[in-house]
Amino acid sequence: MPLIKIIPLQFPAVEELEKMLSIISNRFKMETSLSTRPFDMNPYFNPVRSQYNANEIIQKLVTSAAENNKIVGITELDLFIPVLRYIFGQAYLGGSAALVSGHRLHNSRYGLAEDPNLYFNRLLKCLIHELGHAFGLKHCLKLGCVMVSTTYVEEMDQKSDLFCHSCQAELTELTQ
Ligand SMILES: [Zn+2]
Ligand SMILES: [Zn+2]
């Protein structure tokens, strides 16, 4: 039975993730589970950038994914890939692993009052977006679709956590 497995990577608010399990399960029509296994992020820290290397973390996650399963690592630590200043998340197209960071999704990071609901929604959008990639979906240009590419948190707020009609149709085909 294929499974979407969510692994907290030094992510303190595990109860937030529990709330997401049923939403993710519904959206992808797959069972979900939350791992309790501790994951050491120290080997992936880059002291020059004071960030964590997303490519290396994903490679590690891939090795622990069972056949047909998708594994999603979720962290509060700041992620980078060498060509970008920061990333919200990363996944290999049609691969078995994805990675998401809540680090830059907090309003407080941008000098605004913290908004837990907004943070939760942003994190959920990131998770669904990266999982979409892991299932084989590419970026979409349709306004509001969760698969629209986002660089800034404001853009994140302009899209929904839903797939547009054509992304949904493609996902259904990919997951059959
Ligand atoms: Zn993307
Ligand atoms: Zn779309």
Side-chain angles (χ1 to χ4, degrees):
M1 183 86 175
L3 186 75
I4 296 171
K5 201 167 168 185
I6 296 179
I7 305 189
L9 314 174
Q10 291 180 15
F11 188 87
V14 174
E15 63 290 353
E16 293 290 308
L17 301 183
E18 277 162 3
K19 282 189 257 170
M20 288 186 188
L21 288 181
S22 60
I23 303 174
I24 299 286
S25 185
N26 257 315
R27 204 60 59 81
F28 291 92
K29 309 274 176 275
M30 249 169 111
E31 292 288 313
T32 48
S33 81
L34 191 60
S35 169
T36 51
R37 192 154 38 109
F39 186 99
D40 183 13
M41 290 287 272
N42 289 327
Y44 311 104
F45 183 68
N46 180 314
V48 176
R49 301 185 53 140
S50 276
Q51 290 175 306
Y52 292 78
N53 189 316
N55 287 337
E56 291 177 5
I57 297 164
I58 286 222
Q59 274 162 27
K60 176 69 185 171
L61 291 177
V62 166
T63 61
S64 59
E67 210 183 339
N68 294 326
N69 283 3
K70 301 289 181 198
I71 233 172
V72 196
I74 184 155
T75 185
E76 266 297 314
L77 301 173
D78 199 15
L79 299 175
F80 78 97
I81 55 171
V83 295
L84 291 176
R85 218 155 54 79
Y86 65 88
I87 55 165
F88 295 129
Q90 169 94 326
Y92 294 145
L93 197 68
S96 54
L99 179 60
V100 165
S101 167
H103 188 83
R104 291 170 186 266
L105 303 177
H106 293 277
N107 256 2
S108 53
R109 234 202 108 73
Y110 306 95
L112 300 167
E114 189 61 358
D115 183 338
N117 280 332
L118 187 61
Y119 168 76
F120 179 87
N121 288 336
R122 288 169 175 169
L123 196 61
L124 181 66
K125 286 174 196 177
C126 272
L127 232 147
I128 292 173
H129 179 97
E130 297 307 336
L131 261 173
H133 283 318
F135 279 100
L137 292 181
K138 299 194 182 78
H139 281 148
C140 178
L141 295 173
K142 210 158 284 169
L143 211 69
C145 176
V146 72
M147 291 314 293
V148 169
S149 169
T150 39
T151 311
Y152 302 104
V153 84
E154 293 83 358
E155 297 169 323
M156 189 85 72
D157 296 338
Q158 279 161 15
K159 67 181 187 182
S160 74
D161 61 28
L162 297 167
F163 296 108
C164 73
H165 187 74
S166 54
C167 286
Q168 183 59 62
E170 202 180 330
L171 180 69
T172 307
E173 212 158 276
L174 288 164
T175 51
Q176 258 165 12

